[in-house]
Amino acid sequence: RTNIWVNRSYSYGSIDAPTVLSHTTAHHFAGWLNWVQDRAEKEASIEIYNSVEYLNLRLHYNGCGLMLHELCHIIHQTTLPGGLSNMLVIEMHKLAKESGKYSRVLRRDWALKEVDTDVAYCTLNHKEFFAEISVSYLSDFYHDVDGAGTVDIAKWKCSPPFVSPVVLGRLQKKQQECQQTVKSIVEWKDLTKFGRGLPHCNKFFPFTKGQLRRHDPRVFKCFQKLWQYIETWEDM
């Protein structure tokens, strides 16, 4: 069981020049919390530093994917052998990074920008690797995009529907050159309320379980093994 702390805003440091945070995070240990004079009881919990920003960012995951990412950090810490030092996760992160498969991938919040690819966030470290790939692995939805390519004229056809008003605005501006794609996405928008009507996906490619299976079979099999183990864990 995990506590979730929610703030309208959050800052630390001096009154004259505070550091303002707006992201969402998992607190693994109390060390940083003590350093910023925050509550040590937030250890092993999740914190939303800016609730408005969270509501905007979660749309790129079509809903619960952002919170699932943070929950997977806690799951990594509490359920796997060795916790955050689990050797299988560390080794697979190293192999995935060396494979080059994650060095240039689409990210949904950059859709139809001049630059819409980035280094996958899962390459940052082994903790982000577990959380990011888990979000994709647990997105067993949108099977119509399982086999879609990622670098071609119609590359965004590989993405689950968009619900972020920011991305939809960019898509509508492109209506003349990709009218059919925009039409289908706008129809999805009409059927949802800020992502709550759709199952989650990841923000970075691979967006779904089916895409992960095709994109990186070795990592997919590893996460099958990890999550089979996690399913046997009991929260006491």
Side-chain angles (χ1 to χ4, degrees):
R1 293 166 178 81
T2 304
N3 291 324
I4 301 175
W5 302 78
V6 182
N7 306 275
R8 291 183 179 179
S9 62
Y10 183 100
S11 63
Y12 68 91
S14 67
I15 295 176
D16 295 335
T19 298
V20 178
L21 302 179
S22 60
H23 62 288
T24 300
T25 193
H27 295 299
H28 290 298
F29 305 108
W32 183 86
L33 293 165
N34 290 329
W35 182 69
V36 298
Q37 298 182 327
D38 203 339
R39 299 181 180 183
E41 65 193 274
K42 291 181 179 180
E43 181 178 5
S45 68
I46 293 167
E47 185 154 18
I48 297 171
Y49 287 125
N50 186 306
S51 57
V52 173
E53 185 67 9
Y54 170 77
L55 291 174
N56 290 329
L57 291 177
R58 72 188 294 276
L59 299 181
H60 299 302
Y61 301 79
N62 284 2
C64 71
L66 176 54
M67 182 56 65
L68 177 60
H69 173 105
E70 302 304 337
L71 284 169
C72 285
H73 281 309
I74 304 299
I75 290 169
H76 185 180
Q77 179 180 5
T78 57
T79 69
L80 293 181
L84 296 175
S85 297
N86 179 272
M87 291 309 299
L88 179 56
V89 174
I90 291 172
E91 180 62 21
M92 288 309 301
H93 168 251
K94 179 175 179 290
L95 293 173
K97 192 172 180 178
E98 291 174 348
S99 73
K101 292 183 178 182
Y102 302 89
S103 60
R104 178 174 171 259
V105 301
L106 293 169
R107 49 182 295 175
R108 283 163 46 86
D109 56 333
W110 288 6
L112 291 182
K113 284 188 173 183
E114 185 174 345
V115 176
D116 55 11
T117 59
D118 196 4
V119 178
Y121 192 54
C122 71
T123 64
L124 183 63
N125 56 49
H126 68 283
K127 293 181 289 187
E128 298 302 343
F129 176 73
F130 178 80
E132 277 289 285
I133 299 300
S134 291
V135 172
S136 298
Y137 179 79
L138 296 172
S139 178
D140 196 8
F141 315 105
Y142 308 113
H143 298 296
D144 55 320
V145 300
D146 280 355
T150 61
V151 183
D152 54 39
I153 294 175
K155 58 186 172 181
W156 280 110
K157 287 186 177 180
C158 75
S159 176
F162 296 94
V163 295
S164 165
V166 175
V167 176
L168 287 170
R170 289 199 297 267
L171 290 168
Q172 289 168 339
K173 289 181 181 179
K174 296 285 186 179
Q175 189 165 7
Q176 293 302 315
E177 55 192 275
C178 55
Q179 186 172 357
Q180 184 176 357
T181 302
V182 172
K183 182 175 182 294
S184 65
I185 294 170
V186 171
E187 286 172 351
W188 270 104
K189 178 190 177 186
D190 294 340
L191 293 173
T192 61
K193 287 289 187 182
F194 302 107
R196 287 174 289 180
L198 291 175
H200 85 273
C201 62
N202 205 351
K203 185 173 74 174
F204 286 82
F205 185 88
F207 305 121
T208 67
K209 185 174 188 175
Q211 290 180 342
L212 176 64
R213 183 187 291 113
R214 287 166 171 78
H215 183 68
D216 199 339
R218 179 170 58 180
V219 166
F220 179 84
K221 289 178 181 178
C222 168
F223 274 74
Q224 268 189 320
K225 181 178 179 179
L226 290 170
W227 278 95
Q228 285 169 0
Y229 178 85
I230 291 167
E231 288 171 4
T232 68
W233 185 80
E234 294 187 11
D235 187 1
M236 302 300 293

